[in-house]
Amino acid sequence: MDGCRWLVTGGCGFIGAALIGELLRRDPDVCVRVLDDLSVGKPGAIGLDGSDAATPEDVASGGWAPGIRLARGDIRDAAACRAACEGADVIVHLAANTGVAPSVADPMMDCLTNVVGTLNMLEAARSGGVPRFVMASSGAPAGEVTPPIHEEMAPRPVSPYGASKLAGEGYCSAYARTFGIDTVALRFGNVYGPGSGHKTSVVAQFCGAVIEGRPVRIFGAGTQTRDFIYLGDLLDALFAAAETPDIGGEIFQIASAKETTVNELADAFAAVVESRGHAVVGIEREPPRQGDVLRNFSDTRKARERLGWTPRTSLEDGLARTFDWFVAHAD
Ligand SMILES: NC(=O)c1ccc[n+]([C@@H]2O[C@H](COP(=O)([O-])OP(=O)(O)OC[C@H]3O[C@@H](n4cnc5c(N)ncnc54)[C@H](O)[C@@H]3O)[C@@H](O)[C@H]2O)c1
């Protein structure tokens, strides 16, 4: 994909910044535009400072050039999306409300960002003639089903977040079948890795707690299961989704295909931390959270067969790399 023009929404966030780092590593002359409202992500995550941010219209008027251009804009703003997308070859759509809890607290906010924002981006892809659109979805659309989750299961979202991601998947399907855009929805497992310092997901929360000498927090009995996928493996899947031919309109489960209870995660994490001379000082147990499902892990055969993708990183290695990053970036 040499010479490819990439638009990454949410590019200053956890996954977006890692994707951009990898794009630059693969091709130092790559052309990348980032559309991010900087509500969560920071320009520093992609090696820029605030003064590098311009309006999407200003970025568009400068045309495409090697390097990273940051368009500060909101995906709920259709005009900003249109300006940012024009002339792109691939859109990787990561900007979103990313959490179950905020979606429970404010379902309308979640809908406007994840449903209307995604529709704005698809419309911008259509008007800008962008051939490929990769959307970040999640296991949440599947909801309360008996795992392993696979692409053919009837979805039953539990949280508003699951519902809004499911709507995004629905629009991706429609834009592939009606308008011929090669949309690909990737249902990420629970992603962890370096650069997740601002995240409230369980691995990031565990790492932050150990660094600050606080107990780690577990919601419910800790018997709930999740499918933890290391960031580097997820990036491989994003590249495969951007580059593989004949997958327009498809959905893929992108996860480790392993079911891990939060208690098992805590044990594996404690071992990693101890091997590095740190310690988990205790466990604080809190009531289960509304909207959280009990069991979640994926069947990833479709991704292996159609994308040629398999995860390579063990939980222990991934936890070690993540914890080392937190230690290196502790204040
Ligand atoms: N991290 C995970 O475990 C995980 C799991 C499943 C799915 N996902 C999905 O992957 C994507 C990226 O997640 P992440 O972990 O990198 O999150 P993140 O919060 O680190 O990054 C999201 C980025 O989007 C930006 N953003 C938010 N609202 C915006 C808006 N209205 N307009 C423009 N930009 C906006 C934020 O400033 C931030 O930089 C999201 O779509 C998320 O739902 C993540």
Side-chain angles (χ1 to χ4, degrees):
M1 305 248 326
D2 279 355
C4 180
R5 298 162 163 185
W6 295 75
L7 173 73
V8 182
T9 72
C12 294
F14 165 45
I15 296 169
L19 172 65
I20 289 164
E22 184 58 21
L23 279 167
L24 285 171
R25 199 190 63 74
R26 290 181 180 210
D27 174 10
D29 290 327
V30 69
C31 301
V32 184
R33 272 185 198 166
V34 172
L35 178 63
D36 198 305
D37 67 355
L38 305 181
S39 55
V40 175
K42 299 285 168 274
I46 51 172
L48 303 178
D49 64 41
S51 65
D52 295 313
T55 65
E57 291 74 14
D58 282 348
V59 168
S61 69
W64 287 86
I68 308 171
R69 293 298 314 277
L70 172 56
R72 181 178 191 159
D74 192 323
I75 55 166
R76 291 169 297 183
D77 174 351
C81 296
R82 265 197 311 277
C85 288
E86 216 203 326
D89 297 309
V90 180
I91 294 172
V92 180
H93 177 43
L94 301 169
N97 163 52
T98 65
V100 167
S103 83
V104 172
D106 190 348
M108 186 58 76
M109 169 285 297
D110 176 72
C111 171
L112 292 174
T113 306
N114 291 3
V115 183
V116 177
T118 298
L119 184 56
N120 281 339
M121 286 302 302
L122 285 162
E123 269 297 277
R126 182 162 80 100
S127 65
V130 183
R132 175 122 344 181
F133 187 101
V134 180
M135 177 205 157
S137 188
S138 138
E144 203 65 82
V145 291
T146 303
I149 299 170
H150 61 77
E151 296 81 357
E152 300 307 316
M153 274 179 163
R156 290 190 182 79
V158 172
S159 60
Y161 173 72
S164 66
K165 287 289 182 183
L166 178 60
E169 290 181 357
Y171 278 111
C172 282
S173 169
Y175 272 65
R177 289 167 175 86
T178 301
F179 302 119
I181 300 173
D182 282 342
T183 60
V184 187
L186 300 184
R187 290 178 166 173
F188 305 165
N190 201 310
V191 190
Y192 68 100
S196 55
H198 63 284
K199 300 295 293 184
T200 54
S201 43
V202 57
V203 174
Q205 188 256 113
F206 280 8
C207 291
V210 168
I211 303 275
E212 290 168 21
R214 290 182 282 107
V216 301
R217 209 169 27 157
I218 293 183
F219 295 96
T223 48
Q224 67 273 32
T225 63
R226 295 292 179 265
D227 191 328
F228 296 98
I229 176 84
Y230 183 65
L231 178 62
D233 292 336
L234 181 81
L235 296 184
D236 291 343
L238 283 171
F239 279 101
E243 294 168 356
T244 305
D246 304 324
I247 52 168
E250 296 291 340
I251 294 176
F252 295 94
Q253 300 291 144
I254 301 295
S256 71
K258 294 195 173 73
E259 184 171 30
T260 306
T261 68
V262 172
N263 289 334
E264 286 164 350
L265 175 78
D267 289 344
F269 178 71
V272 163
V273 161
E274 276 159 31
S275 74
R276 280 148 166 81
H278 291 258
V280 174
V281 296
I283 297 179
E284 204 171 81
R285 299 219 174 246
E286 297 209 0
R289 290 183 301 187
Q290 226 183 350
D292 276 353
V293 297
L294 288 179
R295 288 185 69 197
N296 181 335
F297 78 102
S298 292
D299 175 338
T300 55
R301 268 177 298 183
K302 183 176 172 188
R304 190 171 65 232
E305 284 159 17
R306 300 284 303 274
L307 299 176
W309 175 84
T310 42
R312 292 167 292 139
T313 312
S314 70
L315 184 63
E316 288 68 24
D317 283 352
L319 287 175
R321 286 183 221 171
T322 306
F323 184 67
D324 289 347
W325 182 89
F326 271 79
V327 171
H329 290 80
D331 291 328

